[in-house]
């Protein structure tokens, strides 16, 4: 049966006479890190685009990807939920999208731990035969304050080499395939030679257009190897990020001691960016000063990427590595304002 639709029911944002130009912002990443940046950025602009990794192979997303041969919807769902505003409508649909089913003991558990939003997004993809159109309709339903795009319309697989200790054999290098495995590898091994498969996958055209037309591109925070780095591993997207006239801002994580970056300090995180995208120049790097052990080394590492370092308290505190949306929004505003009178970088 054919599925017919009219125009997507999105109303353009109202603009008052004499209002300043809206800053066009593109945020890249995946998972909780991208949700954090979007929750902050939607408070600063009405022209916001999220570009999301599509290499997830775990949990509900992995099951749907395997069973239905679709893009993994989980990170896309989380980005849409983060763009919901703070009205009753927005909060309700945010909670619906994030709700997970729990099967009763002894059942077939076919729906166990599937997120409602994942199923909704995949249903729209099957009806519309277009991942971008499906995400736009999902965003319209939620009243999302921005649009969500996949980094590629091809499901991707992330792989990497890990150097691990092996009983009786010393150090052994192994190749790991899949985001779920690689995300845990860095806790007990050194991760290297990270890459995407297929290596020649095309970037989403709409995502490249958004990067080209942006005033600011914000990369991170997020899992460094599996949410942040993939955008630099996709050739067309890396080239788009290098060539855009937009300013480029990298947001650091609140913790460097994660399952995939064990033993790496903040400066080493920047060195990873330089290694995989040596021609990428940044304008700004934002970090919470409490998370940087050596401010001087970190500032020098940022400068080697062409970036000015901004320090600001952006966490919720209480020993939790969670970004506070209002503090992060204020920090982003300070960065944007600092550059507002300058010409865009080339």
């Amino acid at each position: 049966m054919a599925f017919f639709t009219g125009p997507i029911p999105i109303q353009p944002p109202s603009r008052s006479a004499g209002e300043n130009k809206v800053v066009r912002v593109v945020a890249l990443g995946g998972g909780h890190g991208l949700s954090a940046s979007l929750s902050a950025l939607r408070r600063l602009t009405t022209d916001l685009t999220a570009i999301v990794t599509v290499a997830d192979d775990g949990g509900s997303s992995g099951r749907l990807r395997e069973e239905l041969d679709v893009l993994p919807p989980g990170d896309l769902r989380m980005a849409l939920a983060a763009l919901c505003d703070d009205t009753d409508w927005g909060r309700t649909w945010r909670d619906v999208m994030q709700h997970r089913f729990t099967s009763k003991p002894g059942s077939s558990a076919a729906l166990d731990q599937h997120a409602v939003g994942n199923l909704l997004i995949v249903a729209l993809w099957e009806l519309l035969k277009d991942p971008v159109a499906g995400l736009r309709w999902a965003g319209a339903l939620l009243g999302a304050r921005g649009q969500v795009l996949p980094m590629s319309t091809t499901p991707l697989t992330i792989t990497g080499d890990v150097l691990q200790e092996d009983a009786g054999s010393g150090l052994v290098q192994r190749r790991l395939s899949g985001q779920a495995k690689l995300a845990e590898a860095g806790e007990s091994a050194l991760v290297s030679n990270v890459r995407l498969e297929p290596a020649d996958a095309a970037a989403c055209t709409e995502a490249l257009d958004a990067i080209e037309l942006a005033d600011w591109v914000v990369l991170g925070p997020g899992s460094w190897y599996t949410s942040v780095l993939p955008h630099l591993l996709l050739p067309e997207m890396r080239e788009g990020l290098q060539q855009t006239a937009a300013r480029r801002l990298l947001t650091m994580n609140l913790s460097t001691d994660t399952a995939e970056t064990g033993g790496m300090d903040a400066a080493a995180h920047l060195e990873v960016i330089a290694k995989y995208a040596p021609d990428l120049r940044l304008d700004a790097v934002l970090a919470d000063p409490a998370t940087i052990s050596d401010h001087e080394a970190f500032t020098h590492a940022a400068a080697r990427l062409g970036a000015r370092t901004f320090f600001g308290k952006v966490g919720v505190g209480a020993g939790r590595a969670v970004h506070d949306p209002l503090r992060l929004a204020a920090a982003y505003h300070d960065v944007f304002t600092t550059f507002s009178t300058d010409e865009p970088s080339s």
Side-chain angles (χ1 to χ4, degrees), residues 161-177:
D161 298 331
V162 295
L163 192 62
Q164 296 175 312
E165 289 189 6
D166 187 68
S169 301
L171 294 176
V172 177
Q173 184 166 282
R174 295 187 175 90
R175 183 180 182 185
L176 292 182
S177 179

Side-chain angles (χ1 to χ4, degrees), residues 137-305:
W137 274 90
L141 173 64
L142 273 61
R145 297 175 66 89
Q147 67 171 333
V148 174
L149 299 169
M151 63 182 288
S152 173
T153 55
T154 300
L156 301 172
T157 300
I158 187 166
T159 67
D161 298 331
V162 295
L163 192 62
Q164 296 175 312
E165 289 189 6
D166 187 68
S169 301
L171 294 176
V172 177
Q173 184 166 282
R174 295 187 175 90
R175 183 180 182 185
L176 292 182
S177 179
Q179 179 174 321
K181 292 180 180 178
L182 197 64
E184 299 177 354
E187 191 168 20
S188 59
L190 179 65
V191 178
S192 64
N193 198 23
V194 182
R195 51 208 179 272
L196 290 176
E197 296 176 354
D200 59 349
C204 173
T205 301
E206 292 82 355
L208 294 176
D209 290 343
I211 291 171
E212 181 182 3
L213 298 174
D215 297 309
W216 277 93
V217 174
V218 178
L219 184 62
S223 300
W224 217 244
Y225 285 114
T226 57
S227 290
V228 176
L229 189 59
H231 295 281
L232 306 179
L233 297 177
L234 198 65
E236 287 184 343
M237 184 153 292
R238 181 175 63 250
E239 182 177 357
L241 290 169
Q242 292 170 174
Q243 293 183 353
T244 181
R247 296 285 187 185
R248 291 165 284 248
L249 165 62
L250 178 67
T251 311
M252 299 300 296
N253 291 334
L254 292 174
S255 174
T256 57
D257 187 21
T258 70
E260 62 180 52
T261 56
M264 292 173 54
D265 64 9
H269 281 62
L270 297 183
E271 290 165 4
V272 168
I273 300 297
K275 174 183 176 181
Y276 288 94
D279 295 327
L280 178 68
R281 308 308 292 167
L282 301 177
D283 294 277
V285 174
L286 173 62
D288 191 307
T291 67
I292 308 299
S293 58
D294 187 333
H295 286 211
E296 184 177 0
F298 179 75
T299 300
H300 287 325
R304 287 193 290 273
L305 291 169

Side-chain angles (χ1 to χ4, degrees), residues 10-95:
I10 299 177
Q11 295 297 324
S14 60
R15 297 285 299 277
S16 60
E19 182 180 351
N20 291 334
K21 174 181 176 290
V22 172
V23 179
R24 294 169 294 187
V25 181
V26 173
L28 301 93
H32 294 286
L34 180 58
S35 293
S37 64
L38 294 175
S39 295
L41 290 167
R42 68 177 173 83
R43 291 168 163 84
L44 301 179
T45 181
T46 55
D47 194 336
L48 178 58
T49 298
I51 300 177
V52 186
T53 56
V54 288
D56 191 7
D57 61 351
S60 170
S61 287
R63 290 160 60 191
L64 291 169
R65 172 177 176 167
E66 177 66 24
E67 293 174 17
L68 302 178
D69 193 26
V70 295
L71 294 174
D75 286 353
L76 296 159
R77 179 201 82 245
M78 291 181 67
L80 284 167
L83 291 175
C84 291
D85 62 27
D86 292 322
T87 63
D88 287 342
W89 182 274
R91 287 190 295 266
T92 298
W93 276 108
R94 176 198 63 202
D95 293 344

Side-chain angles (χ1 to χ4, degrees), residues 107-153:
S107 69
S108 63
L111 287 177
D112 190 55
Q113 292 305 300
H114 271 308
V116 172
N118 288 355
L119 301 178
L120 173 64
I121 290 169
V122 172
L124 285 166
W125 286 344
E126 290 193 346
L127 290 168
L128 296 170
K129 312 300 182 186
D130 184 341
V132 172
L135 290 167
R136 285 177 174 161
W137 274 90
L141 173 64
L142 273 61
R145 297 175 66 89
Q147 67 171 333
V148 174
L149 299 169
M151 63 182 288
S152 173
T153 55

